[in-house]
């Protein structure tokens, strides 16, 4: 990768997160810390407003936007594959959002690449069994509650076919046994629980912040099971 391409890539990385450390950039692009410092300085010299906060890393000040970067054909094709997989492994809310995102991505492609992307979309099919249940469109609400740290109120049908009302604080989602699982602190049980999304009969965002002060990360929860 030449230096110009790397500088653009580093800027894209800086804009992809709130804070990015020099070590992260060095590892991602396989360069030295000294080179990272030189690249950050170079970006600053051409007018990119980069700030640094101790213990957090570099951040691009709010209000600065990089014009759309053209994707390569391979990158666009990879995203189209992911959009197709969403038809099998997500619900209608996610599929709609993915579709809108793909349209925006295709809008910045060169004309010839747009044609190829359209052809690829037509030639990739995902088999969805008639038994697949996509009737509960909760994934977007769950995602927002995880990010915003908001309480969810659910009606849950357990494996014994018993329904109960729960107030939960979601910490993450995991996909296994061919379905989505919501990991959350359950105030009814006073412990972390694994809820199968397909067994949630009703779900609402309570528009209330978490009451529990400290939570496991998803990784810490998974490690606690072993």
């Amino acid at each position: 990768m030449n230096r110009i391409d790397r500088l653009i890539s580093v800027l894209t990385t800086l804009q992809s997160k709130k804070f990015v450390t020099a070590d992260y950039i060095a590892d991602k692009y396989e360069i030295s810390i000294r080179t990272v410092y030189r690249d950050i300085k170079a970006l600053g010299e051409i007018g990119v407003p980069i700030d640094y906060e101790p213990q957090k890393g570099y951040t691009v000040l709010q209000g600065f936007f990089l014009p759309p970067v053209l994707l390569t054909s391979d990158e666009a094709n990879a995203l189209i594959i992911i959009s197709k997989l969403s038809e099998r492994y997500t619900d209608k809310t996610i599929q709609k959002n993915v579709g809108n995102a793909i349209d925006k991505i295709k809008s910045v492609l060169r004309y010839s690449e747009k044609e190829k992307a359209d052809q690829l979309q037509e030639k990739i099919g995902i088999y969805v069994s008639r038994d697949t249940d996509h009737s509960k469109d909760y994934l977007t609400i769950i995602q927002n509650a995880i990010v915003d740290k908001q309480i969810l109120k659910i009606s849950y049908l357990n494996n014994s076919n018993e329904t109960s009302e729960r107030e939960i604080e979601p910490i993450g989602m995991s996909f296994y046994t061919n379905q989505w699982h919501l990991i959350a602190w359950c105030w009814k049980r006073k412990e972390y629980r694994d809820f199968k999304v397909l067994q949630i009969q009703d779900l609402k965002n309570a528009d209330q912040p978490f009451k529990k002060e400290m939570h496991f990360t998803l990784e810490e929860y998974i490690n606690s099971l072993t």
Side-chain angles (χ1 to χ4, degrees), residues 191-204:
E191 62 181 350
Y192 289 104
R193 306 289 284 191
D194 181 333
F195 298 98
K196 296 176 182 177
V197 173
L198 289 177
Q199 292 178 204
I200 297 176
Q201 305 301 295
D202 187 50
L203 179 147
K204 291 183 177 63

Side-chain angles (χ1 to χ4, degrees), residues 136 138-139 142 179-182 195-200:
K136 298 181 176 64
Y138 296 146
L139 294 183
I142 291 171
Q179 62 181 311
W180 284 104
H181 294 247
L182 170 59
F195 298 98
K196 296 176 182 177
V197 173
L198 289 177
Q199 292 178 204
I200 297 176

Side-chain angles (χ1 to χ4, degrees), residues 5-20:
D5 288 342
R6 191 180 70 241
L7 286 174
I8 293 173
S9 297
V10 168
L11 178 53
T12 301
T13 298
L14 288 169
Q15 291 189 295
S16 70
K17 299 174 180 288
K18 188 172 183 180
F19 292 101
V20 180

Side-chain angles (χ1 to χ4, degrees), residues 93-122:
T93 62
I94 299 296
Q95 291 165 22
K96 179 181 178 181
N97 290 333
V98 169
N100 290 340
I102 290 296
D103 286 343
K104 291 177 182 178
I105 289 167
K106 289 168 65 178
S107 73
V108 301
L109 294 176
R110 300 179 184 87
Y111 185 76
S112 60
E113 300 301 331
K114 287 180 185 178
E115 286 189 317
K116 292 179 182 178
D118 287 338
Q119 292 175 12
L120 184 62
Q121 275 189 301
E122 293 174 359

